[in-house]
Amino acid sequence: ERPTLVKDGRRVAGQCVAVRLEGEETALCNVHLSSPAGIVERRVRWVGGFDANARVRAAQWALLREHVARTYPSARHLIVAGDFNTLDTEQLYRTIRGRLVDAFQVEGEGRGETFPTEPTSPVPLVRIDYVFTSPALVPLEAEVLPQAGSDHRGLRVTLALAR
């Protein structure tokens, strides 16, 4: 119910929808936070460029959180999944983990690398794709999927409501 877009200017940072889990509203959002790819391609001002990109992604995350609170005020749970373009060593990851659960960290095996894939790299090198959930949603399974036509590998996560 009620699909919406989360926009940062002209860029779409996410899409959200309300779903029902056992009669309770849950906000489900797919995100694609700003990529640092342009910085890598230009090969100039790396440190400043990556810092600026980190600030943009943090602002997009704040925008998404405000959007969910405003648009889905009765949502008891939150699931946010997608390409965060954020390493698990970054401040933004720690900010997100302050409120939400990283499903792969709880139930996945290995490091969970999802990017890049063929033809750029024969194996993924970094983890920048995540499924984050409210603490009341318990990860039961999490796995990185084989490559399937994208430059990222997908994640499959099974969740259950805490009892």
Side-chain angles (χ1 to χ4, degrees), residues 46-64:
W46 278 55
V47 173
F50 282 114
D51 285 347
N53 177 261
R55 287 191 298 276
V56 168
R57 287 182 282 113
Q60 289 173 326
W61 175 251
L63 182 68
L64 182 122

Side-chain angles (χ1 to χ4, degrees), residues 28-104:
L28 171 63
C29 299
N30 169 51
V31 301
H32 187 201
L33 301 186
S34 184
S35 171
I39 298 158
V40 174
E41 289 170 4
R42 286 190 300 273
R43 298 181 183 170
V44 295
R45 299 187 314 239
W46 278 55
V47 173
F50 282 114
D51 285 347
N53 177 261
R55 287 191 298 276
V56 168
R57 287 182 282 113
Q60 289 173 326
W61 175 251
L63 182 68
L64 182 122
R65 291 296 303 205
E66 292 165 9
H67 175 84
V68 167
R70 185 179 61 254
T71 309
Y72 306 99
S74 60
R76 302 241 319 136
H77 312 291
L78 174 63
I79 303 168
V80 186
D83 180 358
F84 286 76
N85 279 307
T86 302
L87 299 172
D88 60 7
T89 57
E90 292 185 63
Q91 178 58 47
L92 178 56
Y93 176 85
R94 291 188 295 277
T95 297
I96 296 168
R97 286 282 295 117
R99 289 187 161 169
L100 300 175
V101 174
D102 175 348
F104 189 87

Side-chain angles (χ1 to χ4, degrees), residues 108-129:
E109 292 185 20
R111 293 189 23 87
E113 295 93 340
T114 56
F115 179 82
T117 60
E118 297 282 357
T120 308
S121 175
V123 295
L125 302 172
V126 295
R127 186 174 117 137
I128 59 174
D129 302 281

Side-chain angles (χ1 to χ4, degrees), residues 8-27:
D8 170 18
R10 292 189 330 232
R11 293 180 296 208
V12 174
Q15 304 109 358
C16 298
V17 65
V19 296
R20 296 256 169 224
L21 296 179
E22 296 187 7
E24 296 180 325
E25 186 172 274
T26 297

